[in-house]
Amino acid sequence: GENVEQHPSTLSVQEGDSAVIKCTYSDSASNYFPWYKQELGKGPQLIIDIRSNVGEKKDQRIAVTLNKTAKHFSLHITETQPEDSAVYFCAASMRAGGTSYGKLTFGQGTILTVHP
Amino acid sequence: DAGITQSPRHKVTETGTPVTLRCHQTENHRYMYWYRQDPGHGLRLIHYSYGVKDTDKGEVSDGYSVSRSKTEDFLLTLESATSSQTSVYFCAISGDLMWNSPLHFGNGTRLTVT
């Protein structure tokens, strides 16, 4: 099955700096890569996702890049703010449809702390 | 929270007792999932459902069973709880095509087995 490795496990930055979280996946058939943010006491919330036919996607201060050849993808947060402090998870999946039900395999998570 | 309600939100139980966690959705989504979250492991899939009465195992299904008698409800049962099942359990839902209807999570149930 799919295996997703996420690094680093903790990341501490100063407000205004950039933060980068990296993930690698094992199954070359995976074609959907979402990122989730989890705040204390809540469930993970989708913040951005990318499909395998796209190399980069950006949404305001957040961007995700995908390198299919190397089987890795990254989350970039620019101009970090204290409210960006949370746990971030990457995930990988084959698309739902036919006999595939779109099961997500998650990375281990990154605790991001943004210091004012 | 995408119309997902998990109950109870917290539960403490003793080893060997049965426990049922409930997930209720109001989105009429086809797919429902149960994940557990543990430090250092991220979220791991326990069981999932692709329709009423249609379920299948995930990567950590031992000791768990599920049932889905209605589109809106997905139950997770620990037949005989063990301390290794102390965890935070998350229900999630998605539509037919994940990139058109991404996975959305409930707020979790914190289960402690003493």
Side-chain angles (χ1 to χ4, degrees):
Chain A
E2 176 65 276
N3 183 52
V4 177
E5 297 289 332
Q6 182 173 346
H7 299 280
S9 56
T10 60
L11 180 59
S12 183
V13 300
Q14 290 296 126
E15 182 177 2
D17 288 349
S18 294
V20 180
I21 302 170
K22 299 181 179 182
C23 290
T24 60
Y25 61 99
S26 61
D27 190 345
S28 57
S30 289
N31 56 12
Y32 173 67
F33 307 92
W35 286 87
Y36 285 82
K37 175 184 181 182
Q38 186 179 26
E39 298 177 338
L40 199 62
K42 295 192 174 183
Q45 185 172 21
L46 179 73
I47 55 172
I48 195 168
D49 56 10
I50 192 169
R51 306 183 200 180
S52 59
N53 60 348
V54 176
E56 184 174 358
K57 184 177 179 180
K58 189 174 182 180
D59 183 4
Q60 298 182 10
R61 297 186 297 109
I62 294 174
V64 57
T65 58
L66 171 65
N67 184 325
K68 287 172 54 181
T69 303
K71 289 190 284 188
H72 66 71
F73 56 113
S74 301
L75 178 71
H76 304 253
I77 305 174
T78 59
E79 302 173 18
T80 54
Q81 302 167 2
E83 50 264 41
D84 293 330
S85 296
V87 181
Y88 291 81
F89 292 97
C90 63
S93 171
M94 293 177 60
R95 70 179 178 92
T99 59
S100 171
Y101 301 111
K103 294 172 287 182
L104 284 177
T105 299
F106 285 84
Q108 296 84 354
T110 297
I111 302 172
L112 173 64
T113 304
V114 180
H115 299 282
Chain B
D1 294 328
I4 306 169
T5 303
Q6 291 187 235
S7 58
R9 291 296 314 277
H10 302 270
K11 185 169 182 67
V12 179
T13 191
E14 294 184 348
T15 299
T17 60
V19 177
T20 295
L21 308 183
R22 180 177 183 249
C23 178
H24 179 79
Q25 61 143 330
T26 58
E27 306 296 320
N28 199 35
H29 279 341
R30 176 183 177 187
Y31 300 103
M32 299 186 75
Y33 309 80
W34 278 106
Y35 283 87
R36 61 177 288 174
Q37 183 176 25
D38 304 289
H41 291 279
L43 293 118
R44 293 180 291 174
L45 182 64
I46 305 171
H47 281 280
Y48 64 99
S49 169
Y50 45 96
V52 174
K53 299 190 188 304
D54 292 324
T55 66
D56 205 349
K57 297 178 180 180
E59 62 179 300
V60 290
S61 60
D62 288 349
Y64 302 95
S65 62
V66 290
S67 66
R68 191 168 178 199
S69 59
K70 298 185 291 185
T71 298
E72 58 266 35
D73 290 326
F74 193 32
L75 304 180
L76 176 70
T77 297
L78 291 65
E79 300 292 345
S80 178
T82 67
S83 59
S84 64
Q85 294 175 312
T86 292
S87 187
V88 181
Y89 291 86
F90 287 98
C91 174
I93 64 174
S94 70
D96 281 340
L97 290 174
M98 190 172 287
W99 53 53
N100 290 331
S101 178
L103 206 66
H104 289 286
F105 286 85
N107 281 329
T109 294
R110 182 174 294 277
L111 176 67
T112 303
V113 183
T114 61

